[in-house]
Amino acid sequence: MSDLLDLTAAEAAARVHAGDLERGELWRFYRDRALADDLNAFTWVCTDDDPEAIDPSGSLGGVPIGIKDLFCTAGVPSQAGSKILEDFRPPYTATAVERLMNAGAPVLAKTNQDEFAMGSSTENSAYGPTLNPWDRTRVPGGSSGGSAAAVAAGTVPWAIGTDTGGSIRQPAALCGIVGLKPTYGAVSRYGMIAFASSLDQAGPFTRDTTDAALLLQAMAGADPCDSTALGLPEPVKLPDATDLKGIRLGVPEELTGEGIEAGVLEAFRATLDLARELGATVETTQLPHAPHGLAAYYLIAPAECSSNLARYDGVRYGFRANGRDLLGMYTETREQGFGAEVKRRVMLGTYALSSGYYDAYYGRAQKVRTLIAGDFERAWERFDFIVTPTAPGVAFELGAKTADPLAMYLNDYCTVPMSLAGTPAISIPNGLSDGLPVGFQIAGPAFSENRILDAAHALERAIGFDGSRAFA
Ligand code: GLN
């Protein structure tokens, strides 16, 4: 294995800063690896010999990055995994991406995803499924499966994705890497092609927690183009904790029992033992409304998407089908341009929002959302963090759940409650089950990213997970 592949992104950046590594060499190394990708992790790869003017003296050190397809990137295909945006090249760049570029990370590739981020396996992409580098007959998770698979396979050093109900944490878990969903509002959504605006949040995919902190540091911040972007109250620092002394971990019964695979629970318990050895106290607790998270999420997210996706009418961007008249063009474009899952959600969401049904569905789901947020508020009175397995199972076989949307939705059981509450959560790899990676989720109060990263750093060192087996 080559030396460059062994380096984390932070290590590569440090070498560039020290003058021991030429950023062009690093770029060409990863460009060639990305071009040789055989996991279908990318929807576009930059073929340039030298990336456009990027200042490697920035904190990201000229280390190239993969960007989920749905981030608008000027002049580069930004299709959100959908045929309806085929070859759409936006005239502007998303704030999050621009901030990464300004901090010295050149965009190497756009990564594959479920169409409009709807899915848990990346099988809903109009550009074909992405394969899991640990086992090519299995899914990488989703919706940001391309970003997760590429980082795990070492075809990009790091990447970003979005998480609406679990789309950063679940694929990170299934691919054996770190994925962080920041507090809602920490990172600007400007230029992120919208799925469910009250839930969507951008975050990093990395090999370790230090790399995750570096990316978050660069991405987070208020933005005049997104009134919901607050940034973080304190600068993101690089994690350095080596123990968990005085840290109180709450283990919610509802998310750590029924429905979770035995091998996943075994890894989870082993990590709790490590946490105790590092000085943490571990106590069982309750998030009584969390089991209703999926039901609420699968009303709120479709409702918001039905509104957000109304703009794809064949007039303004991307794909247009022929129709007899204007209405015919609209309907043909949407019929041909959207995949089955997107249509299912637009129909569900439109129904849930229709007059007479609003109170029964959307209004009620919002009330459940408030109750779930209240469960977390009460938990923070007693605990620093809530910990759970990230996903109920390991990576499943391609095609195993495509015919059963409800089975697919269950993947988000442990991640959706934090999304509804708007709180930050990280997934770190904590072992293998049947030879496949398992993720450990640490969730904390709003804006506790620095503390979450520190706790994850201490655990990561103790776990000593070796992800290099997935390098392609
Ligand atoms: N799997 C969930 C869904 O299909 C979450 C997706 C996401 O977080 N973007 O909606």
Side-chain angles (χ1 to χ4, degrees):
M1 195 184 309
S2 119
D3 287 351
L4 284 185
L5 191 53
D6 283 340
L7 301 177
T8 65
E11 289 164 352
R15 288 211 191 171
V16 172
H17 286 152
D20 297 337
L21 173 61
E22 206 256 306
R23 84 174 163 86
E25 183 190 340
L26 182 67
W27 167 268
R28 286 185 292 277
F29 174 78
Y30 274 104
R31 180 206 55 188
D32 293 348
R33 289 185 62 79
L35 285 171
D37 162 64
D38 59 0
L39 301 169
N40 197 32
F42 302 118
T43 48
W44 174 87
V45 177
C46 180
T47 54
D48 293 357
D49 268 339
D50 210 2
E52 76 275 22
I54 285 285
D55 180 4
S57 67
S59 61
L60 305 184
V63 180
I65 191 161
I67 305 289
K68 188 177 184 178
D69 194 22
L70 60 64
F71 285 91
C72 285
T73 314
V76 165
S78 303
Q79 310 160 124
S82 182
K83 179 176 171 189
I84 213 159
L85 283 174
E86 193 164 13
D87 205 32
F88 169 58
R89 291 170 190 254
Y92 72 106
T93 296
T95 301
V97 177
E98 206 160 71
R99 293 181 69 112
L100 293 171
M101 289 163 62
N102 289 340
V107 174
L108 172 58
K110 297 301 286 287
T111 61
N112 200 10
Q113 61 164 95
D114 284 301
E115 185 176 8
F116 289 104
M118 298 174 198
S120 305
S121 68
T122 316
E123 292 168 293
N124 295 334
S125 168
Y127 304 96
T130 296
L131 312 182
N132 188 317
W134 290 81
D135 176 347
R136 282 151 201 263
T137 67
R138 291 173 189 265
V139 303
S143 66
S144 316
S147 289
V151 172
T155 49
V156 291
W158 49 13
I160 61 167
T162 57
D163 191 310
T164 303
S167 280
I168 290 176
R169 291 161 285 162
Q170 184 258 13
L174 270 48
C175 289
I177 60 168
V178 173
L180 170 65
K181 181 198 93 73
T183 306
Y184 181 81
V187 179
S188 169
R189 287 180 295 110
Y190 181 67
M192 243 167 69
I193 295 171
F195 164 15
S197 306
S198 76
L199 295 155
D200 297 344
Q201 186 58 206
F205 283 95
T206 55
R207 288 195 204 166
D208 70 9
T209 52
T210 303
D211 284 1
L214 267 178
L215 287 186
L216 182 65
Q217 200 177 55
M219 289 165 84
D223 179 4
C225 296
D226 173 5
S227 60
T228 65
L230 298 165
L232 290 167
E234 53 188 19
V236 177
K237 67 171 193 60
L238 300 189
D240 56 9
T242 52
D243 65 52
L244 295 173
K245 288 201 183 88
I247 300 288
R248 298 156 303 166
L249 302 180
V251 178
E253 276 171 355
E254 297 82 357
L255 304 180
T256 52
E258 203 188 336
I260 314 285
E261 281 177 16
V264 171
L265 277 181
E266 205 177 298
F268 179 67
R269 294 198 187 105
T271 303
L272 292 182
D273 287 341
L274 273 181
R276 284 191 197 92
E277 282 170 32
L278 292 173
T281 58
V282 179
E283 241 182 90
T284 304
T285 186
Q286 285 82 34
L287 296 173
H289 301 93
H292 303 296
L294 275 183
Y297 173 87
Y298 277 98
L299 281 166
I300 293 169
E304 294 186 14
C305 99
S306 70
S307 166
N308 274 328
L309 272 55
R311 74 191 71 176
Y312 303 107
D313 54 8
V315 176
R316 281 165 286 197
Y317 347 68
F319 173 75
R320 171 185 294 182
N322 289 322
R324 262 178 299 116
D325 49 21
L326 182 63
L327 189 61
M329 187 279 284
Y330 289 160
T331 52
E332 260 317 296
T333 297
R334 290 170 71 84
E335 162 62 19
Q336 293 178 31
F338 287 143
E341 182 63 24
V342 171
K343 286 178 189 157
R344 181 179 299 123
R345 300 215 189 176
V346 169
M347 284 193 285
L348 270 173
T350 308
Y351 179 82
L353 289 177
S354 45
S355 99
Y357 292 116
Y358 181 95
D359 287 336
Y361 296 113
Y362 188 73
R364 181 166 288 212
Q366 290 289 23
K367 288 180 184 158
V368 173
R369 181 177 192 172
T370 302
L371 292 173
I372 291 173
D375 284 357
F376 280 103
E377 282 310 318
R378 272 183 295 283
W380 308 140
E381 290 167 10
R382 286 175 54 207
F383 301 107
D384 295 290
F385 305 115
I386 289 288
V387 294
T388 74
T390 307
V394 293
F396 43 92
E397 304 259 347
L398 287 153
K401 299 188 181 181
T402 40
D404 184 353
L406 291 181
M408 191 69 94
Y409 298 170
L410 280 173
N411 272 285
D412 307 319
Y413 184 66
C414 298
T415 48
V416 148
M418 295 76 181
S419 297
L420 290 168
T423 55
I426 198 168
S427 178
I428 59 169
N430 69 326
L432 300 176
S433 166
D434 295 331
L436 294 164
V438 178
F440 184 83
Q441 177 173 230
I442 308 172
F447 304 118
S448 64
E449 275 82 345
N450 276 332
R451 290 192 288 123
I452 290 181
L453 282 160
D454 255 340
H457 181 261
L459 269 177
E460 163 182 86
R461 284 172 40 113
I463 294 166
F465 183 82
D466 177 12
S468 65
R469 270 189 28 210
F471 289 161

